[in-house]
Amino acid sequence: MDAETPNTDEPEVEEPKAGQLNLPQAFLLLATDDKDGEPELPAYILRTTVAGAILAELDVLGAVGLQGKRVRATGPAPQTDFQHQLELIRHKSRPHTPKRWVSMLEGRAEVQRVYEGMASLGIVDHVGEKHLGLFKSVRYPEKDHAPEAAIRHKIKAALEGKPSDARTTALIALLQAAGLLGKLFPAADLTRARELARDYWPSRAVVDELRMIRLAEEEAAMLTDPVRARHPE
């Protein structure tokens, strides 16, 4: 239906804005193909970066922070979609490093929960493909482009040297950790991105965890086929 023609059959819904999205939602929105609803990153990168984005969201809210080398709850519990993760951190008798929390929080179910949250806001569609009567796969094509356009505008402005708020800076750092920033903004000065993301502990934890996953995959490949692992095609 044409955007200028009001729908008189349904109640008017307020248009989502960039500020309404939490960091895991904003990351997944940018990391998903608008049309086919498929992620543009391997599943392990998606899961790991979403876990880092959860830590970043709690950090931006002032709920957690890095004290020494450990993540600790730092303030009163705010309203957040990640109350369960916050309570885990708050009540952990022995605080963990950021990388350890990323490895503990990552998972397919959490990624799907974040997608479903955006579907409930009307930003993406839930499209399920059935096989033998069961859902074999689910895709999330974009339904409303306005939130992504607003996010992209803020990131582009920050990369061009304009002032960047904490949420935008965190998102830039996460996109860079996932290897997606240069693909989304090929003309951007990545030197500026590195300046904005420097020493940001949630994204650094993502980078460290991804490095460990890749090393484990390489070691597994060496064990199964040492010749091919040394000389990949």
Side-chain angles (χ1 to χ4, degrees):
M1 182 171 59
D2 189 273
E4 296 180 357
T5 304
N7 185 349
T8 56
D9 297 327
E10 297 179 2
E12 185 176 349
V13 178
E14 184 180 353
E15 180 180 281
K17 298 178 177 63
Q20 290 179 278
L21 298 185
N22 57 51
L23 283 167
Q25 289 173 336
F27 170 74
L28 278 186
L29 192 59
L30 293 172
T32 304
D33 185 273
D34 296 350
K35 294 181 180 179
D36 66 24
E38 293 282 0
E40 303 205 47
L41 292 169
Y44 79 95
I45 297 180
L46 210 68
R47 292 193 300 263
T48 300
T49 312
V50 165
I54 292 171
L55 292 178
E57 178 70 17
L58 294 175
D59 176 60
V60 168
L61 291 174
V64 304
L66 191 65
Q67 296 181 6
K69 295 182 178 181
R70 311 286 174 177
V71 180
R72 299 177 187 271
T74 56
Q79 288 293 108
T80 173
D81 292 330
F82 305 101
Q83 194 65 38
H84 173 67
Q85 290 87 342
L86 175 56
E87 292 305 314
L88 285 176
I89 294 171
R90 184 179 299 279
H91 297 297
K92 197 69 178 175
S93 59
R94 183 179 179 183
H96 291 317
T97 64
K99 178 185 172 300
R100 176 60 176 155
W101 275 117
V102 166
S103 67
M104 290 175 66
L105 298 179
E106 64 183 345
R108 179 181 178 183
E110 191 57 47
V111 171
Q112 187 170 0
R113 188 174 80 87
V114 175
Y115 271 128
E116 291 296 333
M118 289 193 287
S120 69
L121 292 172
I123 299 171
V124 298
D125 265 329
H126 174 124
V127 179
E129 295 182 353
K130 286 188 175 181
H131 179 67
L132 299 178
L134 300 174
F135 280 109
K136 185 178 180 181
S137 64
V138 179
R139 297 178 292 109
Y140 296 92
E142 193 168 77
K143 185 176 181 181
D144 180 359
H145 186 64
E148 181 177 350
I151 294 168
R152 284 175 173 267
H153 176 76
K154 294 185 76 171
I155 292 175
K156 185 172 181 292
L159 293 177
E160 289 174 350
K162 296 185 175 74
S164 176
D165 57 69
R167 191 169 292 276
T168 302
T169 299
L171 185 54
I172 289 172
L174 291 164
L175 290 169
Q176 189 174 40
L180 195 56
L181 187 65
K183 297 176 183 177
L184 293 173
F185 301 92
D189 179 6
L190 295 186
T191 301
R192 167 67 174 163
R194 284 190 289 272
E195 291 174 357
L196 289 171
R198 181 179 296 135
D199 296 328
Y200 188 55
W201 62 268
S203 62
R204 197 166 63 241
V206 171
V207 172
D208 290 343
E209 178 65 9
L210 289 176
R211 183 183 298 116
M212 290 300 295
I213 292 172
R214 289 169 181 140
L215 284 173
E217 289 178 345
E218 290 173 5
E219 289 177 2
M222 284 289 292
L223 290 173
T224 56
D225 193 343
V227 175
R228 184 164 185 166
R230 292 194 194 96
H231 305 285
E233 295 178 357

